[in-house]
């Protein structure tokens, strides 16, 4: 395989997105207590991350297969392997399907059946529901946030073997964070996305409706992040850092309700969302290492 050909296969799995999602899965695993009667070791962690990599990569490859015509109409994506004609569509289809099929047994046997089931649900929602739904309804964003939030929960269940409150809170945090993050993108790329055939809230309901939705999700995110403290997952340092970052993120979102807040504000909110999630992960790390109460 030539270097260029290998690069196209790597592009299919969207490596930057995959790397970020893997960090959330690793975080869920690390925060969780060990499974009763079992070792909480490197082997399970590595197999969980491998299975998560396969399922994310497979879903992304199939997403590119299904949206190859749309990608060809958008300047930002027309150089991808399929619309650029560097790879046959069937190759991407088989590649994505094989990765997805390999992922489920790796997660099921390497971690536990519950984690394998969550991976399967995530894969199905992303490929079979979210991807086609983007061309029909702005609600696709909410559906797409479910598989996007699944990896930290999968990390938790891989370590514990069960669904419980802290794992669900981690899911809720990432679910709610994604919504203002991606709504900000749709605000400053609404024209491009609409021309590509995607239904976005800012076009269907107006920019003010999208901005109000952002504030709503940010208001919900703030108390959900605090729940990890009373659940004894993290300590006081997390509460202080996460609380301060959450108030800052919320206040930045509220600024967008002004009539003169346009694409520049939306771009800044997108950047703030990235800084916020980095601070939140640092807070989780700090609150776990120094669980001061």
């Amino acid at each position: 395989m030539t270097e260029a050909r290998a690069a196209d296969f790597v592009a299919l799995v969207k490596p930057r997105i995959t790397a970020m999602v893997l960090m959330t899965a690793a975080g869920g695993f690390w925060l969780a207590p060990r499974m009763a009667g079992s070792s909480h070791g490197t082997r399970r962690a590595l197999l969980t991350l491998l299975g998560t990599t396969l399922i994310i990569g497979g879903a992304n490859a199939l997403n590119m297969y299904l949206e190859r015509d749309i990608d060809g109409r958008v300047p930002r994506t027309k150089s991808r392997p399929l619309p650029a004609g560097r790879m046959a569509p069937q190759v991407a289809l088989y590649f994505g399907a094989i990765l997805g099929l390999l992922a489920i047994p790796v997660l099921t046997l390497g971690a536990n059946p519950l984690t394998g089931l969550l991976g399967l649900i995530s894969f199905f929602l992303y490929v079979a529901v979210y991807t086609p739904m983007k061309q029909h309804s702005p609600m696709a964003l909410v559906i797409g946030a479910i598989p996007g939030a699944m990896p930290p929960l999968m990390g938790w269940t891989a370590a514990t073997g069960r669904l419980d409150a802290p794992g669900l809170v981690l899911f809720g945090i990432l679910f709610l964070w994604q919504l203002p993050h991606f709504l900000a993108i749709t605000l400053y790329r609404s024209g491009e996305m609409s021309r590509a055939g995607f239904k976005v809230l800012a076009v269907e309901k107006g920019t003010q409706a999208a901005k109000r939705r952002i504030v709503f999700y940010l208001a919900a995110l703030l108390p959900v992040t605090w729940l990890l403290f009373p659940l004894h997952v993290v300590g006081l340092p997390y509460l202080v850092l996460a609380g301060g970052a959450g108030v800052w993120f919320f206040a930045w979102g509220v600024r967008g309700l002004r009539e003169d807040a346009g694409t520049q504000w939306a771009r800044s909110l997108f950047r703030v969302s990235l800084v916020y999630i980095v601070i939140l992960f640092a807070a989780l790390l700090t609150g776990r290492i120094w669980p001061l109460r």
Side-chain angles (χ1 to χ4, degrees):
M1 183 183 295
T2 66
E3 185 176 339
R5 182 74 164 171
D8 283 339
F9 277 102
V10 171
L12 284 180
V13 303
K14 301 181 182 178
R16 286 186 296 180
I17 294 175
T18 299
M20 183 175 177
V21 174
L22 281 179
M23 288 176 58
T24 68
F29 191 95
W30 183 73
L31 287 168
R34 70 177 63 226
M35 181 185 288
S38 179
S39 63
H40 186 164
T42 303
R43 179 178 176 275
R44 178 176 292 131
L46 291 177
L47 287 173
T48 300
L49 293 179
L50 173 61
T52 304
T53 301
L54 291 171
I55 210 156
I56 297 167
N60 284 333
L62 291 177
N63 172 268
M64 284 201 186
Y65 168 77
L66 292 170
E67 294 185 347
R68 61 193 184 278
D69 293 334
I70 293 172
D71 285 346
R73 299 196 295 266
V74 179
R76 183 175 53 87
T77 57
K78 66 181 182 180
S79 62
R80 286 175 174 175
L82 296 184
R86 298 193 306 272
M87 180 182 291
Q90 292 81 357
V91 174
L93 172 63
Y94 297 148
F95 180 65
I98 289 170
L99 291 185
L101 290 172
L102 288 174
I104 304 306
V106 170
L107 290 169
T108 301
L109 301 175
N112 49 61
L114 175 58
T115 305
L117 176 61
L118 292 176
L120 179 61
I121 292 171
S122 177
F123 186 81
F124 174 80
L125 285 176
Y126 189 85
V127 175
V129 182
Y130 165 69
T131 295
M133 190 177 179
K134 285 192 289 181
Q135 299 176 59
H136 300 283
S137 172
M139 282 300 295
L141 182 64
V142 177
I143 300 299
I146 297 173
M150 202 72 83
L153 179 58
M154 291 167 60
W156 184 278
T157 61
T160 64
R162 63 181 185 269
L163 279 174
D164 48 19
L168 293 171
V169 169
L170 291 173
F171 171 88
I173 290 171
L174 202 58
F175 175 82
L176 289 168
W177 170 80
Q178 288 176 91
L179 296 171
H181 172 80
F182 287 112
L183 278 171
I185 295 174
T186 65
L187 279 168
Y188 68 80
R189 287 183 176 163
S190 58
E192 174 187 311
M193 298 180 76
S194 182
R195 286 191 296 272
F198 296 130
K199 300 293 184 180
V200 295
L201 188 64
V203 174
E204 299 295 310
K205 301 292 185 179
T207 57
Q208 285 302 116
K211 291 176 180 180
R212 288 193 296 270
R213 198 70 61 87
I214 284 172
V215 173
F216 172 79
Y217 291 133
L218 289 174
L221 175 63
L222 193 56
V224 171
T225 59
W226 294 340
L227 290 175
L228 291 176
F229 180 72
L231 289 171
H232 305 289
V233 177
V234 292
L236 189 59
Y238 165 83
L239 192 63
V240 173
L241 288 171
V247 170
W248 171 59
F249 194 13
F250 175 75
W252 208 280
V254 170
R255 289 180 58 188
L257 294 177
R258 300 175 306 175
E259 289 291 339
D260 61 344
T263 57
Q264 186 175 357
W265 166 81
R267 287 180 183 274
S268 71
L269 182 69
F270 169 74
R271 291 190 291 268
V272 167
S273 73
L274 295 175
V275 175
Y276 168 80
I277 201 67
V278 171
I279 293 174
L280 193 69
F281 268 89
L284 284 168
L285 179 65
T286 305
R288 185 66 164 171
I289 294 175
W290 293 291
L292 303 176
R293 306 194 73 84

